[in-house]
Amino acid sequence: MKKLPSRTCMGCNTQKLKKELIRIVKNKEGKLSIDRTGKMPGRGAYICDNQECLKKAINSKRLEKCFETQIDESIYKELENTINKECNID
Ligand SMILES: [Zn+2]
């Protein structure tokens, strides 16, 4: 049985395959960025590709706790734009 790498979402706490999640990474300088390749060096946190989980993560401040730093509004905005907007209602 092969084991695919999985990580826990900071929003819903569910384990998912790494490739299904969006990675946020903190580099040596303490700068946060969204890692679309999954290969950037640094400490990473993961979130599902949906707005619901992003909202949960923002409200619970779990990303702040995880990275032990303040998270800039622009990072959240960027995440919001990165994440699928599949739930749009006409
Ligand atoms: Zn999630």
Side-chain angles (χ1 to χ4, degrees):
M1 215 163 61
K2 67 176 173 183
K3 218 171 158 228
L4 289 165
S6 63
R7 294 289 183 275
T8 306
C9 166
M10 290 280 129
C12 62
N13 255 328
T14 309
Q15 280 228 348
K16 293 209 173 180
L17 291 180
K18 228 176 131 178
K19 61 176 183 192
E20 293 175 353
L21 297 161
I22 291 169
R23 183 171 186 247
I24 303 127
V25 74
K26 182 184 171 187
N27 69 13
K28 284 204 303 281
E29 287 78 43
K31 192 182 179 299
L32 293 175
S33 46
I34 295 155
D35 177 15
R36 289 180 179 84
T37 63
K39 291 185 178 104
M40 279 165 75
R43 195 171 162 195
Y46 295 81
I47 190 164
C48 296
D49 193 9
N50 75 58
Q51 300 285 341
E52 205 53 43
C53 287
L54 175 62
K55 268 184 215 140
K56 279 185 200 159
I58 294 172
N59 290 337
S60 66
K61 297 199 188 308
R62 261 190 92 182
L63 289 170
E64 267 103 334
K65 280 170 201 155
C66 173
F67 290 121
E68 294 164 332
T69 186
Q70 283 281 314
I71 294 182
D72 206 83
E73 192 74 19
S74 64
I75 294 288
Y76 285 136
K77 273 272 167 309
E78 205 184 326
L79 273 168
E80 223 177 282
N81 292 329
T82 302
I83 288 171
N84 262 331
K85 292 189 169 71
E86 61 194 276
C87 300
N88 284 343
I89 298 161
D90 289 319

